Amino acid sequence: MDKDKTLVSIIVPVYNAELYLEECINSILEQTYKNLEIILIDDGSTDNSFEIMKQYSENDSRVQSLSISNSGPGKCRNVGLDIFSGDFVMFVDSDDRICRDLVEILLEHLESSSEIAMCKFSKEIQKIAKGTKKVENQTSIFVDSIKSIYLPGFPSSGPVAKLYGKKIFSELRFPDISMYEDAAISLQVLSIADKVSFVDYYGYYYRFNSDSITNKRVSERNLFIFEKTKIMLEFTNKNHPEALDIVKTICLNDNDYVMMECTRSNTEIARTLFERLLEQNRDLSKNLGMRKLVYTNRLLLKIALKIMSKIYYNDFVRNIFKKVLGVNNG
C-alpha cells in the first residue's frame, strides 16, 4: 500500500458545537498527513455550527458539510459511513481536537484496510502529544483485543482516537439508539479487524464538555443502556462465547458509570434507572466471583458511587478504577 496516496476520511458529527468547532476542524486541517477527506455532519444544531461548517467547505476542497435533522451522533456517523471514499476512516467529536501528526502516526502502523490502529486519549491537556509513538501492544485475537482497549489511557469502546480500515465498516453501522451506540458495536468492530495496534501516544484531546449529550444529567436517553447491553451480550453468545465473562464485566462497568451519574441527580428517572441497573448487575455478576459482593448492599454502593462521582473525571483516578474493575483481572 502506497501510504502517500492513501486517502483518509475523517467524519465529524456536529451538534451545537460553535464554541469549539473551529478549534476541532483546524486540528484536522493542520495534519501533517494531507490526503484527507473531511466530512462534517450537522445534527440539527440550533446555534451557528452549520454556518461555521459551510465556511470551511468553501475555503478547502477537502471539506464537505452536510446537515440532517436531529438524530444523534450514531446517525451522523452512519451518514458519513455511507458516503466516505477513503481507504481508512476516523471519527472525531466536534468539541475535541487531535494532534497534528496523529493521522500520520496511526497510518504508519496499518498494513491493510481490515486493520485498526488507536492512540491514547486524555481529558488533561498537559498530557496531549506525549508518548513514545511506538506500538505498545498488537493483537489479532478477539479476547486479547478486548483486554487491550481497556488498558489505562486507551479509549475503550468509544469510536474516537482510532483509525479504521474501510473494510471494518463495509457493512457494519451504528444501531439506531440515542446513546451508547458506539459501545453497542465495539465488539463487532474488534471481531471484524484482522489486527489491532495500540500506539503509546496521547494524540487525542477529549474535552469534558458538561453541555454535551453524554455529560448531561440523567434522562430517558440513558435507558438505551439496556439495549446496548442486549446487543453486546447477544453478539458475544453467538460469536465469541469464550469472551462472555469479560463482556459481562464490561457491561457491569458501564452500568456502574451510569449508576454513578444517577447519584448526582435527584429525579424520578435517575432513581428508577439506578434500581433497574442494580437489579441487572446482580444478575450479570452471579458467576463472576467476588464482583457480585459489590451489589449486595444497596446503600453502601450508592454512597461509594456518590463519592466516586466527585473524583472520577481525573485521568489518574479513572485509570485506577480501570485497573481495579477492569477486564484484565480475570
Side-chain angles (χ1 to χ4, degrees):
M1 182 172 60
D2 188 341
K3 293 292 178 67
D4 292 331
K5 296 181 180 179
T6 299
L7 179 63
V8 175
S9 299
I10 301 181
I11 298 171
V12 186
V14 179
Y15 179 71
N16 287 353
E18 63 178 4
L19 188 61
Y20 304 113
L21 184 56
E22 291 185 45
E23 183 180 348
C24 172
I25 298 173
N26 287 337
S27 76
I28 299 171
L29 293 175
E30 294 167 2
Q31 288 294 298
T32 54
Y33 189 85
K34 301 299 184 183
N35 194 17
L36 303 175
E37 173 188 58
I38 303 160
I39 304 173
L40 310 175
I41 304 168
D42 178 65
D43 189 25
S45 295
T46 57
D47 64 2
N48 292 317
S49 293
F50 190 60
E51 286 70 26
I52 295 171
M53 292 164 51
K54 288 192 294 184
Q55 290 178 5
Y56 277 95
S57 298
E58 293 169 0
N59 294 329
D60 194 313
S61 60
R62 298 176 297 172
V63 181
Q64 303 178 48
S65 292
L66 298 84
S67 183
I68 64 173
S69 59
N70 184 244
S71 305
K75 175 65 174 178
C76 284
R77 296 188 191 107
N78 285 343
V79 169
L81 289 172
D82 288 341
I83 65 173
F84 87 97
S85 54
D87 303 287
F88 294 89
V89 62
M90 175 183 286
F91 302 106
V92 177
D93 287 346
S94 57
D95 48 1
D96 301 339
R97 74 171 191 248
I98 58 177
C99 290
R100 64 190 306 268
D101 57 355
L102 180 59
V103 172
E104 181 180 359
I105 288 171
L106 294 183
L107 195 58
E108 287 176 359
H109 299 291
L110 293 169
E111 297 175 356
S112 77
S113 58
S114 58
E115 298 179 5
I116 301 170
M118 68 177 71
C119 72
K120 295 180 177 180
F121 81 111
S122 182
K123 295 182 175 75
E124 298 174 13
I125 191 65
Q126 66 270 21
K127 285 188 176 183
I128 301 305
K130 294 183 178 179
T132 65
K133 301 183 181 180
K134 296 179 180 180
V135 172
E136 192 169 274
N137 194 19
Q138 192 175 75
T139 179
S140 58
I141 301 172
F142 180 72
V143 170
D144 291 343
S145 294
I146 296 177
K147 290 182 177 182
S148 292
I149 67 171
Y150 282 88
L151 289 171
F154 289 106
S156 300
S157 61
V160 301
K162 301 177 177 74
L163 187 59
Y164 303 87
K166 65 179 179 181
K167 289 184 180 178
I168 305 297
F169 289 100
S170 61
E171 296 182 4
L172 184 64
R173 293 293 183 270
F174 292 90
D176 186 19
I177 55 178
S178 297
M179 288 186 75
Y180 314 112
E181 75 291 335
D182 47 2
I185 65 164
S186 59
L187 301 180
Q188 287 98 309
V189 166
L190 294 177
S191 181
I192 294 169
D194 290 339
K195 185 173 65 177
V196 185
S197 299
F198 301 83
V199 182
D200 177 27
Y201 183 53
Y202 284 96
Y204 192 99
Y205 175 52
Y206 182 86
R207 192 187 307 275
F208 181 71
N209 179 5
S210 60
D211 293 326
S212 72
I213 290 176
T214 305
N215 298 313
K216 281 183 178 178
R217 294 294 183 180
V218 174
S219 71
E220 290 188 358
R221 285 177 180 246
N222 293 94
L223 293 171
F224 283 109
I225 194 168
F226 296 104
E227 180 66 19
K228 180 274 302 181
T229 297
K230 179 183 177 183
I231 293 171
M232 293 180 71
L233 292 176
E234 286 182 349
F235 173 81
T236 307
N237 269 315
K238 180 179 179 180
N239 299 280
H240 294 281
E242 77 280 5
L244 188 57
D245 283 351
I246 292 176
V247 174
K248 284 183 177 180
T249 301
I250 292 170
C251 293
L252 285 169
N253 292 347
D254 291 345
N255 286 0
D256 286 348
Y257 175 81
V258 178
M259 291 167 71
M260 180 184 74
E261 291 299 301
C262 287
T263 67
R264 301 168 62 189
S265 180
N266 188 29
T267 63
E268 183 63 31
I269 185 63
R271 291 189 289 271
T272 299
L273 182 57
F274 185 95
E275 296 302 328
R276 286 187 60 185
L277 289 171
L278 177 57
E279 181 181 354
Q280 185 176 67
N281 278 9
R282 285 172 173 167
D283 182 62
L284 288 172
S285 63
K286 281 180 180 177
N287 298 314
L288 295 180
M290 299 293 287
R291 183 65 184 266
K292 64 185 177 184
L293 299 179
V294 173
Y295 309 107
T296 55
N297 190 308
R298 176 189 174 281
L299 180 59
L300 287 179
L301 175 62
K302 198 163 190 175
I303 292 172
L305 290 173
K306 197 171 186 66
I307 294 171
M308 191 186 304
S309 71
K310 299 182 184 301
I311 59 176
Y312 180 80
Y313 294 104
N314 175 275
D315 275 0
F316 177 75
V317 173
R318 188 176 62 256
N319 286 333
I320 287 178
F321 284 120
K322 268 192 172 184
K323 289 179 181 178
V324 173
L325 299 177
V327 299
N328 292 280
N329 295 323

PDB file of all heavy atoms in Angstrom, residues 144-173:
ATOM      1  N   ASP A 144      -7.924 -10.874  23.445  1.00  0.00           N
ATOM      2  CA  ASP A 144      -6.783 -10.006  23.752  1.00  0.00           C
ATOM      3  C   ASP A 144      -7.050  -8.562  23.327  1.00  0.00           C
ATOM      4  O   ASP A 144      -6.628  -7.610  24.003  1.00  0.00           O
ATOM      5  CB  ASP A 144      -5.518 -10.515  23.070  1.00  0.00           C
ATOM      6  CG  ASP A 144      -5.036 -11.829  23.667  1.00  0.00           C
ATOM      7  OD1 ASP A 144      -5.477 -12.165  24.789  1.00  0.00           O
ATOM      8  OD2 ASP A 144      -4.223 -12.514  23.019  1.00  0.00           O
ATOM      9  N   SER A 145      -7.749  -8.395  22.211  1.00  0.00           N
ATOM     10  CA  SER A 145      -8.088  -7.041  21.758  1.00  0.00           C
ATOM     11  C   SER A 145      -9.008  -6.351  22.758  1.00  0.00           C
ATOM     12  O   SER A 145      -8.843  -5.166  23.055  1.00  0.00           O
ATOM     13  CB  SER A 145      -8.765  -7.096  20.382  1.00  0.00           C
ATOM     14  OG  SER A 145      -7.881  -7.564  19.391  1.00  0.00           O
ATOM     15  N   ILE A 146      -9.988  -7.088  23.273  1.00  0.00           N
ATOM     16  CA  ILE A 146     -10.888  -6.508  24.273  1.00  0.00           C
ATOM     17  C   ILE A 146     -10.101  -6.057  25.490  1.00  0.00           C
ATOM     18  O   ILE A 146     -10.271  -4.949  26.000  1.00  0.00           O
ATOM     19  CB  ILE A 146     -11.967  -7.527  24.694  1.00  0.00           C
ATOM     20  CG1 ILE A 146     -12.871  -7.888  23.529  1.00  0.00           C
ATOM     21  CG2 ILE A 146     -12.818  -6.951  25.830  1.00  0.00           C
ATOM     22  CD1 ILE A 146     -13.901  -8.951  23.872  1.00  0.00           C
ATOM     23  N   LYS A 147      -9.237  -6.926  25.980  1.00  0.00           N
ATOM     24  CA  LYS A 147      -8.450  -6.580  27.169  1.00  0.00           C
ATOM     25  C   LYS A 147      -7.579  -5.356  26.922  1.00  0.00           C
ATOM     26  O   LYS A 147      -7.426  -4.502  27.795  1.00  0.00           O
ATOM     27  CB  LYS A 147      -7.592  -7.768  27.588  1.00  0.00           C
ATOM     28  CG  LYS A 147      -8.384  -8.933  28.163  1.00  0.00           C
ATOM     29  CD  LYS A 147      -7.461 -10.064  28.608  1.00  0.00           C
ATOM     30  CE  LYS A 147      -8.245 -11.193  29.256  1.00  0.00           C
ATOM     31  NZ  LYS A 147      -7.375 -12.289  29.731  1.00  0.00           N
ATOM     32  N   SER A 148      -7.023  -5.257  25.721  1.00  0.00           N
ATOM     33  CA  SER A 148      -6.098  -4.164  25.425  1.00  0.00           C
ATOM     34  C   SER A 148      -6.798  -2.812  25.361  1.00  0.00           C
ATOM     35  O   SER A 148      -6.236  -1.800  25.787  1.00  0.00           O
ATOM     36  CB  SER A 148      -5.368  -4.436  24.110  1.00  0.00           C
ATOM     37  OG  SER A 148      -4.498  -5.533  24.237  1.00  0.00           O
ATOM     38  N   ILE A 149      -8.030  -2.752  24.824  1.00  0.00           N
ATOM     39  CA  ILE A 149      -8.674  -1.438  24.741  1.00  0.00           C
ATOM     40  C   ILE A 149      -9.077  -0.924  26.120  1.00  0.00           C
ATOM     41  O   ILE A 149      -9.335   0.271  26.279  1.00  0.00           O
ATOM     42  CB  ILE A 149      -9.904  -1.428  23.802  1.00  0.00           C
ATOM     43  CG1 ILE A 149     -11.047  -2.269  24.356  1.00  0.00           C
ATOM     44  CG2 ILE A 149      -9.537  -1.848  22.403  1.00  0.00           C
ATOM     45  CD1 ILE A 149     -12.340  -2.106  23.577  1.00  0.00           C
ATOM     46  N   TYR A 150      -9.077  -1.814  27.104  1.00  0.00           N
ATOM     47  CA  TYR A 150      -9.396  -1.376  28.459  1.00  0.00           C
ATOM     48  C   TYR A 150      -8.151  -1.137  29.309  1.00  0.00           C
ATOM     49  O   TYR A 150      -8.244  -0.930  30.522  1.00  0.00           O
ATOM     50  CB  TYR A 150     -10.335  -2.383  29.137  1.00  0.00           C
ATOM     51  CG  TYR A 150     -11.762  -2.205  28.654  1.00  0.00           C
ATOM     52  CD1 TYR A 150     -12.212  -2.870  27.518  1.00  0.00           C
ATOM     53  CD2 TYR A 150     -12.628  -1.333  29.295  1.00  0.00           C
ATOM     54  CE1 TYR A 150     -13.493  -2.674  27.036  1.00  0.00           C
ATOM     55  CE2 TYR A 150     -13.904  -1.125  28.825  1.00  0.00           C
ATOM     56  CZ  TYR A 150     -14.339  -1.805  27.696  1.00  0.00           C
ATOM     57  OH  TYR A 150     -15.617  -1.599  27.219  1.00  0.00           O
ATOM     58  N   LEU A 151      -6.990  -1.126  28.677  1.00  0.00           N
ATOM     59  CA  LEU A 151      -5.784  -0.715  29.382  1.00  0.00           C
ATOM     60  C   LEU A 151      -5.850   0.783  29.647  1.00  0.00           C
ATOM     61  O   LEU A 151      -6.472   1.530  28.887  1.00  0.00           O
ATOM     62  CB  LEU A 151      -4.546  -1.047  28.549  1.00  0.00           C
ATOM     63  CG  LEU A 151      -4.190  -2.535  28.413  1.00  0.00           C
ATOM     64  CD1 LEU A 151      -3.073  -2.709  27.392  1.00  0.00           C
ATOM     65  CD2 LEU A 151      -3.782  -3.115  29.758  1.00  0.00           C
ATOM     66  N   PRO A 152      -5.213   1.272  30.726  1.00  0.00           N
ATOM     67  CA  PRO A 152      -5.261   2.705  31.047  1.00  0.00           C
ATOM     68  C   PRO A 152      -4.832   3.577  29.875  1.00  0.00           C
ATOM     69  O   PRO A 152      -3.840   3.305  29.210  1.00  0.00           O
ATOM     70  CB  PRO A 152      -4.276   2.825  32.220  1.00  0.00           C
ATOM     71  CG  PRO A 152      -4.337   1.491  32.878  1.00  0.00           C
ATOM     72  CD  PRO A 152      -4.495   0.497  31.748  1.00  0.00           C
ATOM     73  N   GLY A 153      -5.618   4.613  29.615  1.00  0.00           N
ATOM     74  CA  GLY A 153      -5.283   5.581  28.577  1.00  0.00           C
ATOM     75  C   GLY A 153      -5.986   5.360  27.263  1.00  0.00           C
ATOM     76  O   GLY A 153      -6.246   6.313  26.539  1.00  0.00           O
ATOM     77  N   PHE A 154      -6.278   4.127  26.916  1.00  0.00           N
ATOM     78  CA  PHE A 154      -6.927   3.868  25.635  1.00  0.00           C
ATOM     79  C   PHE A 154      -8.433   4.109  25.746  1.00  0.00           C
ATOM     80  O   PHE A 154      -9.019   4.005  26.825  1.00  0.00           O
ATOM     81  CB  PHE A 154      -6.612   2.452  25.148  1.00  0.00           C
ATOM     82  CG  PHE A 154      -5.195   2.289  24.694  1.00  0.00           C
ATOM     83  CD1 PHE A 154      -4.276   1.587  25.471  1.00  0.00           C
ATOM     84  CD2 PHE A 154      -4.761   2.865  23.512  1.00  0.00           C
ATOM     85  CE1 PHE A 154      -2.953   1.456  25.065  1.00  0.00           C
ATOM     86  CE2 PHE A 154      -3.441   2.749  23.103  1.00  0.00           C
ATOM     87  CZ  PHE A 154      -2.539   2.040  23.872  1.00  0.00           C
ATOM     88  N   PRO A 155      -9.091   4.433  24.603  1.00  0.00           N
ATOM     89  CA  PRO A 155     -10.470   4.923  24.634  1.00  0.00           C
ATOM     90  C   PRO A 155     -11.543   3.844  24.709  1.00  0.00           C
ATOM     91  O   PRO A 155     -12.668   4.062  24.293  1.00  0.00           O
ATOM     92  CB  PRO A 155     -10.573   5.703  23.324  1.00  0.00           C
ATOM     93  CG  PRO A 155      -9.627   5.018  22.406  1.00  0.00           C
ATOM     94  CD  PRO A 155      -8.490   4.560  23.271  1.00  0.00           C
ATOM     95  N   SER A 156     -11.211   2.686  25.237  1.00  0.00           N
ATOM     96  CA  SER A 156     -12.195   1.631  25.472  1.00  0.00           C
ATOM     97  C   SER A 156     -13.113   1.453  24.263  1.00  0.00           C
ATOM     98  O   SER A 156     -12.657   1.276  23.152  1.00  0.00           O
ATOM     99  CB  SER A 156     -12.985   1.927  26.747  1.00  0.00           C
ATOM    100  OG  SER A 156     -12.119   1.987  27.860  1.00  0.00           O
ATOM    101  N   SER A 157     -14.418   1.554  24.488  1.00  0.00           N
ATOM    102  CA  SER A 157     -15.356   1.237  23.413  1.00  0.00           C
ATOM    103  C   SER A 157     -15.694   2.420  22.513  1.00  0.00           C
ATOM    104  O   SER A 157     -16.363   2.261  21.502  1.00  0.00           O
ATOM    105  CB  SER A 157     -16.655   0.691  24.012  1.00  0.00           C
ATOM    106  OG  SER A 157     -17.261   1.655  24.845  1.00  0.00           O
ATOM    107  N   GLY A 158     -15.250   3.617  22.865  1.00  0.00           N
ATOM    108  CA  GLY A 158     -15.584   4.792  22.081  1.00  0.00           C
ATOM    109  C   GLY A 158     -14.974   4.745  20.688  1.00  0.00           C
ATOM    110  O   GLY A 158     -13.931   4.125  20.472  1.00  0.00           O
ATOM    111  N   PRO A 159     -15.596   5.414  19.710  1.00  0.00           N
ATOM    112  CA  PRO A 159     -15.108   5.352  18.323  1.00  0.00           C
ATOM    113  C   PRO A 159     -13.925   6.270  18.037  1.00  0.00           C
ATOM    114  O   PRO A 159     -13.285   6.141  16.993  1.00  0.00           O
ATOM    115  CB  PRO A 159     -16.331   5.785  17.514  1.00  0.00           C
ATOM    116  CG  PRO A 159     -17.069   6.723  18.427  1.00  0.00           C
ATOM    117  CD  PRO A 159     -16.855   6.171  19.820  1.00  0.00           C
ATOM    118  N   VAL A 160     -13.642   7.213  18.933  1.00  0.00           N
ATOM    119  CA  VAL A 160     -12.610   8.209  18.653  1.00  0.00           C
ATOM    120  C   VAL A 160     -11.219   7.670  18.980  1.00  0.00           C
ATOM    121  O   VAL A 160     -11.066   6.626  19.606  1.00  0.00           O
ATOM    122  CB  VAL A 160     -12.869   9.507  19.446  1.00  0.00           C
ATOM    123  CG1 VAL A 160     -14.228  10.089  19.084  1.00  0.00           C
ATOM    124  CG2 VAL A 160     -12.762   9.274  20.945  1.00  0.00           C
ATOM    125  N   ALA A 161     -10.196   8.416  18.517  1.00  0.00           N
ATOM    126  CA  ALA A 161      -8.786   8.083  18.741  1.00  0.00           C
ATOM    127  C   ALA A 161      -8.383   6.774  18.066  1.00  0.00           C
ATOM    128  O   ALA A 161      -7.457   6.104  18.490  1.00  0.00           O
ATOM    129  CB  ALA A 161      -8.461   8.040  20.245  1.00  0.00           C
ATOM    130  N   LYS A 162      -9.097   6.413  17.014  1.00  0.00           N
ATOM    131  CA  LYS A 162      -8.826   5.186  16.273  1.00  0.00           C
ATOM    132  C   LYS A 162      -8.842   5.477  14.770  1.00  0.00           C
ATOM    133  O   LYS A 162      -9.605   6.318  14.303  1.00  0.00           O
ATOM    134  CB  LYS A 162      -9.885   4.121  16.572  1.00  0.00           C
ATOM    135  CG  LYS A 162     -10.013   3.723  18.040  1.00  0.00           C
ATOM    136  CD  LYS A 162     -11.139   2.729  18.221  1.00  0.00           C
ATOM    137  CE  LYS A 162     -11.260   2.235  19.648  1.00  0.00           C
ATOM    138  NZ  LYS A 162     -11.839   3.225  20.553  1.00  0.00           N
ATOM    139  N   LEU A 163      -8.016   4.752  14.034  1.00  0.00           N
ATOM    140  CA  LEU A 163      -8.039   4.801  12.576  1.00  0.00           C
ATOM    141  C   LEU A 163      -8.443   3.414  12.085  1.00  0.00           C
ATOM    142  O   LEU A 163      -7.771   2.415  12.360  1.00  0.00           O
ATOM    143  CB  LEU A 163      -6.669   5.192  12.019  1.00  0.00           C
ATOM    144  CG  LEU A 163      -6.585   5.439  10.512  1.00  0.00           C
ATOM    145  CD1 LEU A 163      -7.541   6.548  10.083  1.00  0.00           C
ATOM    146  CD2 LEU A 163      -5.149   5.795  10.103  1.00  0.00           C
ATOM    147  N   TYR A 164      -9.572   3.362  11.389  1.00  0.00           N
ATOM    148  CA  TYR A 164     -10.159   2.093  10.962  1.00  0.00           C
ATOM    149  C   TYR A 164      -9.941   1.866   9.469  1.00  0.00           C
ATOM    150  O   TYR A 164     -10.126   2.779   8.659  1.00  0.00           O
ATOM    151  CB  TYR A 164     -11.676   2.096  11.176  1.00  0.00           C
ATOM    152  CG  TYR A 164     -12.162   2.364  12.570  1.00  0.00           C
ATOM    153  CD1 TYR A 164     -12.370   3.675  13.011  1.00  0.00           C
ATOM    154  CD2 TYR A 164     -12.466   1.319  13.441  1.00  0.00           C
ATOM    155  CE1 TYR A 164     -12.858   3.928  14.280  1.00  0.00           C
ATOM    156  CE2 TYR A 164     -12.964   1.565  14.712  1.00  0.00           C
ATOM    157  CZ  TYR A 164     -13.152   2.878  15.127  1.00  0.00           C
ATOM    158  OH  TYR A 164     -13.641   3.130  16.386  1.00  0.00           O
ATOM    159  N   GLY A 165      -9.603   0.636   9.091  1.00  0.00           N
ATOM    160  CA  GLY A 165      -9.613   0.268   7.684  1.00  0.00           C
ATOM    161  C   GLY A 165     -11.045   0.265   7.168  1.00  0.00           C
ATOM    162  O   GLY A 165     -11.980  -0.065   7.895  1.00  0.00           O
ATOM    163  N   LYS A 166     -11.219   0.611   5.902  1.00  0.00           N
ATOM    164  CA  LYS A 166     -12.571   0.762   5.358  1.00  0.00           C
ATOM    165  C   LYS A 166     -13.377  -0.538   5.398  1.00  0.00           C
ATOM    166  O   LYS A 166     -14.608  -0.517   5.467  1.00  0.00           O
ATOM    167  CB  LYS A 166     -12.510   1.284   3.921  1.00  0.00           C
ATOM    168  CG  LYS A 166     -11.867   0.332   2.918  1.00  0.00           C
ATOM    169  CD  LYS A 166     -11.873   0.940   1.518  1.00  0.00           C
ATOM    170  CE  LYS A 166     -11.220   0.007   0.510  1.00  0.00           C
ATOM    171  NZ  LYS A 166     -11.196   0.604  -0.849  1.00  0.00           N
ATOM    172  N   LYS A 167     -12.698  -1.692   5.399  1.00  0.00           N
ATOM    173  CA  LYS A 167     -13.412  -2.962   5.433  1.00  0.00           C
ATOM    174  C   LYS A 167     -14.154  -3.176   6.751  1.00  0.00           C
ATOM    175  O   LYS A 167     -15.106  -3.946   6.794  1.00  0.00           O
ATOM    176  CB  LYS A 167     -12.442  -4.113   5.170  1.00  0.00           C
ATOM    177  CG  LYS A 167     -11.937  -4.181   3.739  1.00  0.00           C
ATOM    178  CD  LYS A 167     -11.051  -5.401   3.524  1.00  0.00           C
ATOM    179  CE  LYS A 167     -10.542  -5.459   2.088  1.00  0.00           C
ATOM    180  NZ  LYS A 167      -9.649  -6.619   1.868  1.00  0.00           N
ATOM    181  N   ILE A 168     -13.692  -2.507   7.802  1.00  0.00           N
ATOM    182  CA  ILE A 168     -14.356  -2.656   9.104  1.00  0.00           C
ATOM    183  C   ILE A 168     -15.813  -2.222   8.997  1.00  0.00           C
ATOM    184  O   ILE A 168     -16.709  -2.818   9.585  1.00  0.00           O
ATOM    185  CB  ILE A 168     -13.635  -1.832  10.191  1.00  0.00           C
ATOM    186  CG1 ILE A 168     -12.146  -2.194  10.276  1.00  0.00           C
ATOM    187  CG2 ILE A 168     -14.321  -2.009  11.537  1.00  0.00           C
ATOM    188  CD1 ILE A 168     -11.869  -3.616  10.664  1.00  0.00           C
ATOM    189  N   PHE A 169     -16.045  -1.168   8.221  1.00  0.00           N
ATOM    190  CA  PHE A 169     -17.400  -0.617   8.099  1.00  0.00           C
ATOM    191  C   PHE A 169     -17.999  -0.855   6.713  1.00  0.00           C
ATOM    192  O   PHE A 169     -18.850  -0.090   6.267  1.00  0.00           O
ATOM    193  CB  PHE A 169     -17.386   0.876   8.429  1.00  0.00           C
ATOM    194  CG  PHE A 169     -17.158   1.169   9.891  1.00  0.00           C
ATOM    195  CD1 PHE A 169     -15.906   1.547  10.340  1.00  0.00           C
ATOM    196  CD2 PHE A 169     -18.191   1.035  10.804  1.00  0.00           C
ATOM    197  CE1 PHE A 169     -15.689   1.812  11.691  1.00  0.00           C
ATOM    198  CE2 PHE A 169     -17.984   1.288  12.149  1.00  0.00           C
ATOM    199  CZ  PHE A 169     -16.735   1.671  12.599  1.00  0.00           C
ATOM    200  N   SER A 170     -17.558  -1.913   6.058  1.00  0.00           N
ATOM    201  CA  SER A 170     -18.136  -2.206   4.748  1.00  0.00           C
ATOM    202  C   SER A 170     -19.622  -2.525   4.864  1.00  0.00           C
ATOM    203  O   SER A 170     -20.412  -2.199   3.974  1.00  0.00           O
ATOM    204  CB  SER A 170     -17.388  -3.362   4.083  1.00  0.00           C
ATOM    205  OG  SER A 170     -17.484  -4.542   4.875  1.00  0.00           O
ATOM    206  N   GLU A 171     -20.017  -3.139   5.973  1.00  0.00           N
ATOM    207  CA  GLU A 171     -21.434  -3.434   6.221  1.00  0.00           C
ATOM    208  C   GLU A 171     -21.892  -2.960   7.592  1.00  0.00           C
ATOM    209  O   GLU A 171     -23.061  -2.641   7.780  1.00  0.00           O
ATOM    210  CB  GLU A 171     -21.681  -4.946   6.089  1.00  0.00           C
ATOM    211  CG  GLU A 171     -21.428  -5.494   4.689  1.00  0.00           C
ATOM    212  CD  GLU A 171     -21.723  -6.977   4.592  1.00  0.00           C
ATOM    213  OE1 GLU A 171     -22.188  -7.559   5.597  1.00  0.00           O
ATOM    214  OE2 GLU A 171     -21.494  -7.550   3.518  1.00  0.00           O
ATOM    215  N   LEU A 172     -21.012  -2.912   8.541  1.00  0.00           N
ATOM    216  CA  LEU A 172     -21.368  -2.561   9.918  1.00  0.00           C
ATOM    217  C   LEU A 172     -21.787  -1.093  10.035  1.00  0.00           C
ATOM    218  O   LEU A 172     -21.160  -0.213   9.457  1.00  0.00           O
ATOM    219  CB  LEU A 172     -20.172  -2.819  10.838  1.00  0.00           C
ATOM    220  CG  LEU A 172     -20.375  -2.604  12.336  1.00  0.00           C
ATOM    221  CD1 LEU A 172     -21.405  -3.578  12.891  1.00  0.00           C
ATOM    222  CD2 LEU A 172     -19.044  -2.758  13.070  1.00  0.00           C
ATOM    223  N   ARG A 173     -22.854  -0.839  10.792  1.00  0.00           N
ATOM    224  CA  ARG A 173     -23.307   0.514  11.071  1.00  0.00           C
ATOM    225  C   ARG A 173     -23.693   0.631  12.549  1.00  0.00           C
ATOM    226  O   ARG A 173     -23.942  -0.369  13.232  1.00  0.00           O
ATOM    227  CB  ARG A 173     -24.526   0.887  10.200  1.00  0.00           C
ATOM    228  CG  ARG A 173     -24.226   1.005   8.716  1.00  0.00           C
ATOM    229  CD  ARG A 173     -23.319   2.174   8.407  1.00  0.00           C
ATOM    230  NE  ARG A 173     -23.080   2.355   6.983  1.00  0.00           N
ATOM    231  CZ  ARG A 173     -22.086   1.778   6.313  1.00  0.00           C
ATOM    232  NH1 ARG A 173     -21.255   0.945   6.939  1.00  0.00           N
ATOM    233  NH2 ARG A 173     -21.928   2.028   5.026  1.00  0.00           N
TER     234      ARG A 173
END
